[in-house]
Amino acid sequence: MQNKATRYIADYIAKNDLSVDKISADLQISPSKISPGTEECLEADDFLRLCCYLHIRPESILIN
């Protein structure tokens, strides 16, 4: 079961028509972790790198 942060990131990428493959290649994160409907969870360092890359404040995800 995916966690709230992983779901938020995957949904954000999909809603904004961003390329999972490009983000995956740029950050060296498995595309299966950031694709909509994923059942995987992001590790903390991957989550923080994605937030930085996407210009999302991590705390805004966790309080919503």
Side-chain angles (χ1 to χ4, degrees), residues 3-60:
N3 65 26
K4 180 179 179 178
T6 302
R7 184 174 50 251
Y8 182 94
I9 294 287
D11 289 347
Y12 181 91
I13 290 169
K15 286 178 187 173
N16 289 282
D17 282 330
L18 302 173
S19 170
V20 169
D21 292 330
K22 172 143 178 45
I23 295 168
S24 173
D26 288 350
L27 298 179
Q28 300 298 304
I29 296 172
S30 171
S32 64
K33 287 187 175 184
I34 57 174
S35 296
T38 184
E39 291 297 323
E40 298 184 45
C41 289
L42 289 168
E43 297 194 22
D45 61 329
D46 291 340
F47 169 73
L48 293 174
R49 290 187 304 130
L50 279 160
C51 286
C52 184
Y53 183 91
L54 298 170
H55 305 286
I56 299 171
R57 295 181 63 203
E59 61 272 16
S60 69

